[in-house]
Amino acid sequence: MQRAAHTALYDWSHIVGPAMIRQCLKCRAPLLQSSRAYSVIPPPRDSGEKEMLDRILRVDHAGEYGANRIYAGQMAVLGRSRSGPLIQEMWDQEKKHLEKFNEIMAENRVRPTALLPLWNIAGFLLGASTALLGKEGAMACTVAVEESISEHYNSQIRALMEVDPERYTELLKVIKEFRDDEMEHHDTGLEHDAEQLPGYWLLKNAIQLGCKAAIYVSQRV
């Protein structure tokens, strides 16, 4: 029986040919990766789950969009200063976050918040106006915004873990990775004299109040 099996395998390999076998082996990994029907978001089981996932994607996309506009405003003012490369580095990470959420939103046919035009202007103005206060002002803004986004991501992580961590494994990976990046930006702001800005706590609290309002509205509109 073993000889027969060996003979059959030998005959099959000659019929198919070495070149085709090599090509099949090359294709094996992509085929295995594409066997799952989704990349990050599982197909919703019902309207309630779809609404929850749509809210998560919509508000996270809005947050990353707003962060991008804030860094754009900071770079418009401080781009040629010594702080320029540092701000650009953080902005580049935010661009990757936004690109990923754009991809997930399109894949799952989720519309963005209707307030993107407002966040476009408000984010840029916030970044530029705080940057006009100098490096410390820009870093204070970064600390406030990134702390708010990190806390928001943490609340989402807790909620998804309570519902079904295995079902939302890929989404949790994305959120946790982005949360870690935001915390790194937060720490960078503190390391670069954010707290040295006169009125730091007043500015931070005001910005975070605005962030909470933006999060609340972006989930619903």
Side-chain angles (χ1 to χ4, degrees), residues 101-140:
F101 275 117
N102 280 333
E103 175 188 319
I104 299 172
M105 296 269 283
E107 181 181 291
N108 293 275
R109 298 181 179 181
V110 178
R111 68 165 180 83
T113 175
L115 297 176
L116 280 189
L118 176 59
W119 303 151
N120 176 27
I121 298 172
F124 187 90
L125 289 177
L126 177 60
S129 61
T130 52
L132 286 171
L133 300 174
K135 178 194 74 173
E136 293 80 5
M139 293 298 117

Side-chain angles (χ1 to χ4, degrees), residues 1-202:
M1 184 177 291
Q2 290 180 347
R3 178 177 294 181
H6 177 77
T7 301
L9 181 60
Y10 177 81
D11 292 342
W12 178 85
S13 66
H14 275 70
I15 293 171
V16 175
M20 187 174 291
I21 293 173
R22 287 194 297 270
Q23 185 63 31
C24 288
L25 289 173
K26 288 180 182 178
C27 296
R28 183 181 178 188
L31 285 172
L32 288 174
Q33 291 174 0
S34 62
S35 62
R36 189 176 57 188
Y38 63 93
S39 61
V40 175
I41 303 295
R45 292 169 173 163
D46 51 42
S47 59
E49 184 181 27
K50 177 170 174 52
E51 182 180 356
M52 177 194 74
L53 293 172
D54 284 1
R55 280 192 173 194
I56 288 175
L57 293 179
R58 186 174 297 119
V59 70
D60 289 356
H61 174 266
E64 297 296 348
Y65 182 86
N68 268 268
R69 297 306 297 153
I70 289 170
Y71 282 115
Q74 290 182 351
M75 284 298 292
V77 176
L78 297 174
R80 296 184 180 181
S81 70
R82 291 183 179 180
S83 303
L86 177 63
I87 296 172
Q88 183 66 57
E89 181 181 348
M90 294 189 286
W91 188 14
D92 288 341
Q93 282 188 311
E94 298 294 348
K95 289 178 181 178
K96 293 178 182 178
H97 295 180
L98 180 58
E99 182 180 351
K100 183 62 177 179
F101 275 117
N102 280 333
E103 175 188 319
I104 299 172
M105 296 269 283
E107 181 181 291
N108 293 275
R109 298 181 179 181
V110 178
R111 68 165 180 83
T113 175
L115 297 176
L116 280 189
L118 176 59
W119 303 151
N120 176 27
I121 298 172
F124 187 90
L125 289 177
L126 177 60
S129 61
T130 52
L132 286 171
L133 300 174
K135 178 194 74 173
E136 293 80 5
M139 293 298 117
C141 177
T142 295
V143 169
V145 171
E146 302 292 26
E147 185 173 281
S148 294
I149 295 176
S150 298
E151 290 175 355
H152 174 68
Y153 278 151
N154 279 331
S155 68
Q156 288 185 342
I157 291 169
R158 286 192 296 270
L160 292 172
M161 290 292 289
E162 289 175 2
V163 175
D164 191 341
E166 291 187 5
R167 179 167 173 75
Y168 303 118
T169 297
E170 297 303 318
L171 178 58
L172 283 166
K173 284 181 182 178
V174 171
I175 295 176
K176 287 177 180 179
E177 178 185 342
F178 292 177
R179 185 272 316 272
D180 291 345
D181 288 343
E182 310 300 1
M183 283 306 303
E184 182 181 334
H185 298 170
H186 168 273
D187 295 343
T188 297
L190 291 177
E191 291 168 3
H192 288 79
D193 305 326
E195 294 176 309
Q196 300 302 313
L197 178 74
Y200 165 76
W201 290 107
L202 181 62

